[in-house]
Amino acid sequence: MSPEIHLAQHPEADALLGRSPLAALVGMLLDQQVPMEWAFSGPYTIATRLGADDLDAHAIAARDPEEFAALLSEKPAVHRYPGSMAQRVQQLCRFLVEEYGGDAEAVWADAATGKELLARLQALPGFGKQKAQIFLALLGKRYGVRPTGWREAAGPYGEEGAYRSAADITGPETLAKVRAHKQEMKAAAKAAKAAKDLKSSGN
């Protein structure tokens, strides 16, 4: 049974994220420099434009890069930077084809520990440590993928009762809490930078 996902805040897009491991990975890949709902709606938009019910790593990897970039650039665009994101999605799919036979779920299906799973996620194109930790937390909290030590490997994103990332969203209310947390973090970073600039200018 597919988990209930509310990341896109759009029924069909969320249903795809719930049943398709590749859609979940692509949504996470797109989740930067755009609102979270926009990013996680992306896999459904891509599938629809490809005339498919799901995403297929083999089909996307084999697609002509210019044609695929044009597909993501159609209005409404899949991302603020559709061209570069089209490249990243294809890189991810090629990696999955080469390393996992095109099966996205194989990335986590037999991972024995959270540490091992984090290493596998970090090896994916476009996944730095933070993105890998957030996705690991998402797998644990929403998809029931819980190898030994998964919370520890996910760092602060694995904490129970936190509202830090996509992993903590169960509906509009929690989305608002996560958004508020991100705004607080941005404000704190801005204040810290201003204090540092003031200190350096005073020396």
Side-chain angles (χ1 to χ4, degrees):
M1 196 172 157
S2 298
E4 200 173 305
I5 303 300
H6 296 278
L7 295 169
Q9 301 286 297
H10 175 286
E12 287 88 352
D14 280 325
L16 178 62
L17 294 170
R19 69 175 185 268
S20 169
L22 179 55
L25 271 179
V26 170
M28 190 73 238
L29 180 70
L30 295 171
D31 186 23
Q32 57 188 69
Q33 296 177 296
V34 294
M36 203 179 299
E37 310 96 294
W38 184 2
F40 282 99
S41 294
Y44 177 74
T45 305
I46 295 169
T48 302
R49 289 177 186 176
L50 289 170
D53 293 328
D54 197 353
L55 296 184
D56 182 301
H58 291 276
I60 292 172
R63 199 97 185 174
D64 175 77
E66 284 187 22
E67 189 186 296
F68 191 64
L71 191 87
L72 269 67
S73 300
E74 281 176 30
K75 290 185 178 178
V78 166
H79 194 276
R80 184 175 290 157
Y81 305 108
S84 60
M85 280 303 174
Q87 282 185 319
R88 289 190 180 196
V89 170
Q90 284 197 295
Q91 284 170 355
L92 173 64
C93 288
R94 287 189 200 108
F95 183 87
L96 291 171
V97 168
E98 289 164 13
E99 299 296 325
Y100 295 99
D103 180 7
E105 192 173 8
V107 176
W108 53 85
D110 63 349
T113 66
K115 192 175 178 182
E116 181 188 349
L117 179 49
L118 180 63
R120 289 186 187 188
L121 292 170
Q122 280 189 258
L124 297 173
F127 278 67
K129 185 177 181 182
Q130 185 186 44
K131 193 178 282 287
Q133 283 188 315
I134 291 171
F135 193 75
L136 200 166
L138 180 65
L139 287 173
K141 292 179 177 182
R142 304 286 155 244
Y143 290 85
V145 178
R146 295 166 183 159
T148 305
W150 71 271
R151 285 191 188 275
E152 291 78 7
Y157 304 105
E159 288 175 18
E160 200 166 353
Y163 296 101
R164 288 192 172 91
S165 72
D168 304 305
I169 292 169
T170 55
E173 191 182 317
T174 44
L175 173 63
K177 287 182 180 181
V178 169
R179 190 154 279 149
H181 172 78
K182 289 189 173 187
Q183 285 169 348
E184 282 171 23
M185 295 298 285
K186 276 184 186 174
K190 195 174 177 183
K193 185 181 183 299
K196 189 179 176 184
D197 291 348
L198 188 66
K199 189 179 177 184
S200 60
S201 65
N203 289 338

